């Protein structure tokens, strides 16, 4: 009779461990899937840039340095990718740095446009600018969703007794997006 009770207890414990493992796996995969959505939003921005540069080039041909800077920053940003199962603080920092370079180059390009009233009135440019603004909003939404899901996953695997099983099964914390250094200061805008 004692053996039967022991087997029942071991069976219940095994089911609990399987449940916890499945829950950790589900939360991890959900966060990794959200990472793909973040990358997709960044890719949309990268895809808009050649059209934006081509439109500006027609009006501001002598702004060669600014245009080349945007093209180079886009190239660097699209080279830096991270596999969802390799999200580490180091790879996340590299990714964010590449994207920050592209954001800076785009900002310089859009400031340059201020000198060209005909370009600012061009329908293609206005549509591209609107799409770019919408994409930047999407990027922010996807990053926030990623951070929320990653936080939920990280909290789950750090709580007792999950932390014990997470260590055994190799579930590690995932990094989140952090603001860039200096972003707490408002940018200086000059006309």
């Amino acid at each position: 009779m004692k053996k039967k009770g022991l087997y029942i207890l071991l069976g219940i414990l095994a089911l609990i461990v399987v449940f916890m493992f499945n829950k950790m796996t589900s939360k991890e995969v959900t966060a990794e899937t959200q990472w793909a959505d973040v990358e997709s939003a960044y890719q949309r921005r990268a895809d808009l840039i050649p059209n934006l540069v081509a439109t500006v080039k027609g009006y501001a041909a002598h702004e060669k340095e600014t245009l080349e800077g945007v093209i180079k920053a886009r190239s660097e940003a699209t080279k830096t990718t991270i596999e969802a199962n390799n999200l580490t603080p180091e790879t996340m920092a590299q990714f964010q740095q590449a994207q920050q370079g592209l954001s800076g180059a785009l900002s310089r390009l859009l400031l340059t446009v201020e000198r060209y009233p005909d370009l600012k009135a061009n329908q293609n440019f206005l549509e591209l600018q609107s799409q770019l603004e919408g994409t930047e909003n999407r990027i922010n939404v996807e990053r926030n969703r990623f951070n929320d899901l990653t936080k939920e996953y990280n909290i789950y695997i750090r709580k007792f007794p999950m932390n014990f099983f997470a260590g055994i099964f190799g579930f590690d914390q995932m990094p989140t997006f952090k603001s860039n250094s200096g972003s707490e200061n408002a940018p200086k805008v000059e006309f």
Side-chain angles (χ1 to χ4, degrees):
M1 216 42 153
K2 283 187 176 184
K3 279 188 175 183
K4 187 176 181 181
L6 180 63
Y7 289 139
I8 291 173
L9 180 62
L10 288 175
I12 291 171
L13 288 175
L15 285 174
I16 291 170
V17 169
V18 167
F19 173 79
M20 290 188 300
F21 178 83
N22 289 343
K23 186 90 169 178
M24 285 185 281
T25 300
S26 176
K27 288 182 177 293
E28 182 181 50
V29 169
T30 300
E32 288 175 350
T33 301
Q34 183 58 40
W35 174 251
D37 293 343
V38 170
E39 286 186 314
S40 176
Y42 275 112
Q43 184 61 50
R44 176 171 165 65
R45 176 173 74 171
D47 292 346
L48 287 171
I49 290 170
N51 294 329
L52 187 64
V53 168
T55 302
V56 173
K57 195 182 280 187
Y59 284 86
H62 62 280
E63 300 287 353
K64 184 178 179 184
E65 185 178 316
T66 302
L67 295 170
E68 287 174 352
V70 171
I71 293 167
K72 182 179 177 193
R74 179 191 181 272
S75 174
E76 289 298 314
T78 55
K79 273 195 290 189
T80 307
T81 59
I82 307 172
E83 295 297 319
N85 59 1
N86 189 30
L87 290 170
T88 65
E90 296 78 24
T91 57
M92 184 69 81
Q94 289 172 340
F95 183 84
Q96 283 186 259
Q97 185 176 15
Q99 295 301 329
Q100 182 181 7
L102 180 54
S103 294
L106 279 172
S107 294
R108 287 188 294 282
L109 176 66
L110 293 176
L111 279 174
T112 298
V113 167
E114 292 298 317
R115 295 184 223 149
Y116 301 94
D118 290 344
L119 175 59
K120 289 188 335 185
N122 177 283
Q123 190 61 36
N124 286 341
F125 177 77
L126 292 173
E127 286 177 24
L128 286 167
Q129 188 177 24
S130 175
Q131 287 182 33
L132 189 60
E133 288 170 1
T135 298
E136 292 296 333
N137 287 335
R138 278 189 208 138
I139 287 170
N140 189 47
V141 166
E142 298 301 343
R143 283 190 315 215
N144 288 340
R145 285 182 186 158
F146 173 77
N147 280 351
D148 288 343
L149 291 170
T150 300
K151 180 181 92 176
E152 185 179 314
Y153 164 77
N154 287 341
I155 288 170
Y156 187 77
I157 68 167
R158 289 182 67 193
K159 286 183 174 179
F160 182 81
M162 297 310 157
N163 60 347
F164 175 73
F165 292 106
I168 290 173
F169 294 126
F171 287 92
D172 296 320
Q173 287 193 60
M174 296 174 75
T176 56
F177 275 94
K178 297 187 180 0
S179 62
N180 298 317
S181 63
S183 63
E184 67 277 0
N185 302 320
K188 183 177 180 183
V189 178
E190 293 179 15
F191 294 102

